[in-house]
Coordinates of all heavy atoms in Angstrom, one line a residue:
P138 N 79.0 88.2 122.3 CA 79.9 88.7 123.3 C 81.1 87.9 123.5 O 82.1 88.3 124.2 CB 79.0 88.7 124.5 CG 77.6 88.9 124.0 CD 77.6 88.1 122.8
D139 N 81.2 86.6 123.1 CA 82.3 85.8 123.4 C 83.4 86.0 122.3 O 84.5 85.4 122.4 CB 82.0 84.3 123.5 CG 82.0 83.6 122.1 OD1 81.6 84.2 121.1 OD2 82.4 82.5 122.1
I140 N 83.2 86.9 121.3 CA 84.2 87.2 120.3 C 85.6 87.7 120.9 O 86.6 87.2 120.6 CB 83.7 88.2 119.3 CG1 82.7 87.6 118.4 CG2 84.9 88.8 118.5 CD1 82.1 88.5 117.3
P141 N 85.6 88.6 121.9 CA 86.8 89.0 122.5 C 87.5 87.8 123.2 O 88.7 87.7 123.2 CB 86.4 90.1 123.5 CG 85.2 90.6 123.0 CD 84.5 89.5 122.4
V142 N 86.7 86.9 123.9 CA 87.2 85.8 124.5 C 87.9 84.8 123.5 O 89.0 84.4 123.7 CB 86.1 85.0 125.3 CG1 86.7 83.7 125.9 CG2 85.5 85.9 126.4
F143 N 87.2 84.5 122.5 CA 87.7 83.7 121.4 C 89.0 84.3 120.8 O 90.0 83.6 120.6 CB 86.7 83.5 120.3 CG 87.2 82.7 119.1 CD1 87.1 81.3 119.1 CD2 87.7 83.4 118.0 CE1 87.6 80.6 118.0 CE2 88.2 82.7 116.9 CZ 88.2 81.3 116.9
T144 N 88.9 85.5 120.5 CA 90.1 86.2 119.9 C 91.3 86.2 120.8 O 92.4 86.0 120.4 CB 89.7 87.7 119.5 OG1 88.6 87.7 118.7 CG2 90.9 88.3 118.7
G145 N 91.0 86.4 122.1 CA 92.1 86.4 123.1 C 92.7 85.0 123.2 O 93.9 84.9 123.3
M146 N 91.9 84.0 123.2 CA 92.4 82.6 123.3 C 93.2 82.3 122.0 O 94.3 81.6 122.1 CB 91.3 81.6 123.5 CG 90.7 81.6 124.9 SD 91.8 81.3 126.2 CE 92.5 79.7 125.7
L147 N 92.7 82.7 120.9 CA 93.5 82.5 119.6 C 94.8 83.2 119.7 O 95.8 82.5 119.3 CB 92.6 83.0 118.5 CG 93.3 83.0 117.1 CD1 93.7 81.6 116.7 CD2 92.4 83.6 116.0
L148 N 94.8 84.5 120.0 CA 96.1 85.2 120.1 C 97.0 84.6 121.2 O 98.3 84.6 121.0 CB 95.9 86.7 120.3 CG 95.3 87.4 119.1 CD1 95.0 88.9 119.4 CD2 96.2 87.3 117.9
K149 N 96.5 84.2 122.3 CA 97.3 83.6 123.3 C 98.0 82.3 122.7 O 99.3 82.2 122.9 CB 96.5 83.1 124.5 CG 97.1 82.2 125.5 CD 96.1 81.8 126.6 CE 96.6 80.5 127.3 NZ 97.9 80.6 128.0
S150 N 97.3 81.5 122.0 CA 97.9 80.3 121.4 C 99.0 80.7 120.4 O 100.1 80.1 120.3 CB 96.8 79.5 120.7 OG 97.3 78.3 120.2
L151 N 98.7 81.7 119.6 CA 99.7 82.1 118.5 C 100.9 82.9 119.2 O 102.0 82.7 118.7 CB 99.0 83.1 117.5 CG 97.9 82.4 116.7 CD1 97.2 83.4 115.8 CD2 98.4 81.2 115.9
Y152 N 100.6 83.6 120.2 CA 101.7 84.3 120.9 C 102.7 83.2 121.5 O 103.9 83.4 121.4 CB 101.2 85.1 122.1 CG 100.6 86.5 121.7 CD1 100.0 87.3 122.6 CD2 100.6 86.9 120.3 CE1 99.5 88.5 122.2 CE2 100.1 88.1 120.0 CZ 99.5 88.9 120.9 OH 98.9 90.1 120.6
E153 N 102.2 82.2 122.1 CA 103.0 81.2 122.7 C 103.8 80.4 121.6 O 104.9 80.0 121.8 CB 102.2 80.2 123.5 CG 101.7 80.8 124.8 CD 100.8 79.9 125.7 OE1 99.6 79.8 125.4 OE2 101.4 79.2 126.6
T154 N 103.1 80.2 120.5 CA 103.8 79.5 119.3 C 104.9 80.4 118.8 O 106.0 79.9 118.6 CB 102.8 79.3 118.2 OG1 101.7 78.5 118.7 CG2 103.4 78.6 117.0
A155 N 104.7 81.7 118.7 CA 105.8 82.6 118.3 C 106.9 82.5 119.2 O 108.1 82.4 118.8 CB 105.2 84.0 118.1
L156 N 106.7 82.6 120.5 CA 107.7 82.6 121.5 C 108.5 81.3 121.5 O 109.7 81.3 121.7 CB 107.1 82.8 122.9 CG 106.6 84.2 123.3 CD1 106.1 84.2 124.7 CD2 107.7 85.3 123.2
S157 N 107.8 80.2 121.3 CA 108.4 78.9 121.3 C 109.4 78.7 120.2 O 110.3 77.9 120.3 CB 107.4 77.8 121.3 OG 106.8 77.7 120.0
Y158 N 109.3 79.5 119.1 CA 110.2 79.5 118.0 C 111.2 80.6 118.1 O 112.0 80.8 117.2 CB 109.4 79.5 116.7 CG 108.9 78.2 116.3 CD1 107.6 77.8 116.6 CD2 109.6 77.2 115.6 CE1 107.0 76.6 116.3 CE2 109.1 76.0 115.3 CZ 107.8 75.7 115.6 OH 107.3 74.5 115.3

Side-chain angles (χ1 to χ4, degrees):
D139 87 321
I140 285 177
V142 175
F143 173 87
T144 307
M146 287 302 304
L147 172 60
L148 289 178
K149 166 182 160 62
S150 186
L151 296 178
Y152 283 176
E153 289 180 275
T154 301
L156 287 180
S157 71
Y158 282 93

